Amino acid sequence: MRIAIIGTGVSGLFAARSLYERHDITVFEATDRVGGHARTVDVAVDGRELAVDVGFIVHNDVTYPDFTHMLRRLGVATQASEMSFSLSDAASGLEWSGRSPAALFAQRANLVRPRFLALLRDIVRFNRAARRLLATADDGEPDSLDAFLERGPWGPDLRDLYVVPLGAAIWSADP
């Protein structure tokens, strides 16, 4: 069978690797390199060149079972890591991390900063509402994230200081 694979990100490369032995594969890529947002760059450290993987640097067995299987099959070593989210916003001067209560209030002023406390309230409300929506969603056309945010009872900081930066971090993308 002749198969076209569009894109050489992790999914495209995994598909090509899985199918090439039994099929005629053609891979198309719009950029000048393969790998999507995963890439290896050479970095000089103390006079030595090190290959550093950037972009796709974290995965887990639950979200990426096929990718994890492929890494094992190829003999690629992995190691456990801890995931957390942090934000430093130059415009507002706000900094916070969800790693622990101490990190959440690393800027002690956040304890009494109304804007930050409102953001925390909105994050909790947003996450609850999103879980409810996912639990009760039917098979119809779901709302876009934008529509969900517009409809919700939260302020603009939720979008600008939580949802967009979190999405950009997860997808290694510009906000």
Side-chain angles (χ1 to χ4, degrees):
M1 179 183 295
R2 293 180 64 199
I3 299 174
I5 297 174
I6 310 300
T8 61
V10 171
S11 295
L13 293 175
F14 177 77
R17 173 74 170 90
S18 299
L19 297 170
Y20 85 97
E21 290 178 338
R22 296 180 318 274
H23 303 285
D24 179 13
I25 304 295
T26 302
V27 180
F28 295 91
E29 174 57 53
T31 65
D32 60 355
R33 65 172 191 80
V34 300
H37 71 272
R39 68 188 290 182
T40 302
V41 296
D42 293 325
V43 178
V45 177
D46 296 329
R48 294 183 11 205
E49 285 289 316
L50 300 177
V52 177
D53 293 324
V54 297
F56 198 93
I57 57 173
V58 177
H59 73 282
N60 62 64
D61 293 345
V62 173
T63 309
Y64 301 99
D66 292 334
F67 180 66
T68 302
H69 176 73
M70 180 185 70
L71 292 177
R72 281 193 207 108
R73 216 170 67 205
L74 295 173
V76 175
T78 63
Q79 65 185 42
S81 66
E82 187 173 315
M83 297 294 296
S84 64
F85 176 74
S86 62
L87 178 117
S88 179
D89 181 57
S92 67
L94 184 66
E95 292 185 352
W96 65 279
S97 169
R99 185 176 188 147
S100 68
L104 190 61
F105 295 102
Q107 286 181 310
R108 296 296 180 230
N110 286 347
L111 286 163
V112 294
R113 184 179 286 159
R115 182 178 182 184
F116 183 71
L117 298 175
L119 173 63
L120 292 183
R121 181 199 69 222
D122 286 348
I123 290 171
V124 170
R125 290 165 60 190
F126 170 81
N127 287 338
R128 279 190 193 134
R131 280 190 209 96
R132 272 194 313 273
L133 178 67
L134 290 172
T136 61
D138 59 18
D139 290 335
E141 185 67 28
D143 277 348
S144 67
L145 177 58
D146 189 52
F148 185 66
L149 287 168
E150 288 295 323
R151 192 175 65 244
W154 30 71
D157 279 349
L158 178 75
R159 176 188 310 265
D160 299 336
L161 299 176
Y162 179 66
V163 174
V164 170
L166 182 60
I170 290 169
W171 294 108
S172 302
D174 290 334

